Amino acid sequence: MNEKKVVEIRNLTKNYGSGGFLTAVLKGVNLEIYKNDFIAVMGPSGSGKTTLLNILSTIDKPTQGIVQLDGKDVTKLTNKELSKLRRDKIGFVFQDYNLLDTMTLQDNIALPLSLNGASSRVCMEKTMELSRMFGLKDHITKYPYQLSGGQKQRGAACRALITEPEIIFADEPTGALDSRSSKELLECFKTVNDSGRAAILMVTHDAFSSSYCNRILFLKDGKIFHELVRGDKPRKIFLQEILDVLSLTGGEFSDAR
Ligand code: ADP
Ligand code: MG
């Protein structure tokens, strides 16, 4: 078991605006993420999911509270230190893939590593290893327009992993995928996570996607109001537990973008 603590947040608050126009979005969130975690964050629209993800991934700053990534208090880092931390420790996967259309899949995957100055041999080796793992071996010389949505998103996941980050953040990674492509992506995520490569935190409104995770955080009104842990339960039993929590909250979660 890989029990290294990757993220710790304490009493995190986030307000937007000021004075009479203040919106309190996060109202005291506490969370620890370990290297072996695969976490889903669920919650109604506007509950602060993206805000939480942006703060965790150091794109946005908290109003108050402690955010530690890889043992460092991110609120105390300079911009230069922050960008190094983002480059070395964090991978991102977006709903709409964000691949560069003018590059082949293998160049897209290798890009973060080649920008870090790695040799082309190392870039190629790592690209091949990841593309095998994600079932993309036969597609790496193709351009994004020649790939299905599922292949593009698995490619985006390889790109996020190539720098060997501690954690992957994904905002609705299956949001644009059909159910088969979603399943393939989630199974790859699970393999990555099981092999101890990286923790994964994804925002999703989809119970099926969540059921691949080992922890589910339910966010509501700026707070974590419930947490489910999978433990040794089979995925289908866990899925039912998730659906039960969602139905208790009266369908508020059904379209939680
Ligand atoms: P979710 O991803 O759960 O739908 P968000 O984190 O995007 O929710 O937004 C939570 C709340 O914060 C919403 O009410 C939204 O309008 C508000 N909000 C988000 N970003 C900003 C911003 N940059 N300025 C002002 N309000 C914001
Ligand atoms: Mg959102």
Side-chain angles (χ1 to χ4, degrees):
M1 272 285 136
N2 196 334
E3 290 288 347
K4 183 184 172 193
K5 197 190 285 181
V6 180
V7 170
E8 178 164 2
I9 61 180
R10 288 271 160 254
N11 209 15
L12 174 72
T13 64
K14 178 69 182 178
N15 304 328
Y16 286 115
S18 59
F21 300 98
L22 193 96
T23 319
V25 179
L26 299 175
K27 302 173 187 170
V29 176
N30 296 297
L31 176 62
E32 292 181 355
I33 304 176
Y34 293 86
K35 187 84 182 252
N36 60 351
D37 271 330
F38 183 7
I39 298 179
V41 177
M42 303 189 83
S45 189
S47 59
K49 301 182 298 296
T50 297
T51 303
L52 178 64
L53 198 77
N54 288 346
I55 290 174
L56 284 172
S57 55
T58 76
I59 292 167
D60 202 352
K61 285 192 158 52
T63 303
Q64 269 189 323
I66 292 169
V67 180
Q68 284 200 343
L69 247 154
D70 199 44
K72 297 186 184 72
D73 182 349
V74 301
T75 57
K76 298 210 165 67
L77 299 181
T78 63
N79 281 339
K80 201 174 159 198
E81 288 167 331
L82 267 182
S83 61
K84 181 166 165 47
L85 186 79
R86 270 201 290 272
R87 212 170 51 227
D88 295 345
K89 305 291 180 186
I90 298 175
F92 296 94
V93 176
F94 306 93
Q95 182 174 337
D96 50 3
Y97 330 123
N98 284 10
L99 296 177
L100 297 176
D101 293 332
T102 54
M103 285 187 178
T104 60
L105 186 60
Q106 66 185 7
D107 288 345
N108 266 288
I109 293 172
L111 189 62
L113 204 56
S114 53
L115 289 176
N116 276 0
S119 72
S120 55
R121 188 180 59 84
V122 169
C123 287
M124 186 47 88
E125 277 171 12
K126 289 203 170 178
T127 301
M128 294 314 278
E129 188 208 353
L130 284 167
S131 52
R132 263 195 299 276
M133 197 166 170
F134 279 77
L136 293 168
K137 196 167 64 68
D138 300 333
H139 304 288
I140 56 166
T141 57
K142 292 181 181 169
Y143 288 86
Y145 77 91
Q146 299 170 306
L147 299 166
S148 71
Q151 289 162 346
K152 282 191 262 199
Q153 193 61 304
R154 297 204 303 284
C158 292
R159 179 185 56 189
L161 282 160
I162 200 150
T163 54
E164 299 179 6
E166 297 285 333
I167 185 162
I168 301 278
F169 293 110
D171 201 348
E172 295 277 3
T174 60
L177 303 182
D178 60 38
S179 56
R180 196 178 130 219
S181 306
S182 297
K183 196 162 179 278
E184 286 168 351
L185 179 76
L186 293 160
E187 277 166 2
C188 289
F189 272 171
K190 179 127 182 44
T191 308
V192 162
N193 181 250
D194 284 346
S195 69
R197 280 171 186 256
I200 301 171
L201 182 137
M202 70 174 178
V203 167
T204 181
H205 69 281
D206 176 37
F208 176 80
S209 297
S210 297
S211 70
Y212 280 82
C213 298
N214 65 352
R215 288 168 72 189
I216 321 288
L217 308 174
F218 295 90
L219 203 64
K220 199 178 161 194
D221 300 328
K223 288 191 168 174
I224 296 172
F225 88 99
H226 196 62
E227 176 169 351
L228 285 179
V229 176
R230 177 160 164 187
D232 297 327
K233 278 166 271 186
R235 193 183 59 76
K236 284 190 179 152
I237 305 276
F238 195 42
L239 174 60
Q240 193 53 54
E241 277 187 19
I242 298 165
L243 291 170
D244 288 346
V245 173
L246 297 185
S247 70
L248 277 177
T249 55
E252 280 178 280
F253 285 74
S254 53
D255 186 24
R257 286 289 166 88

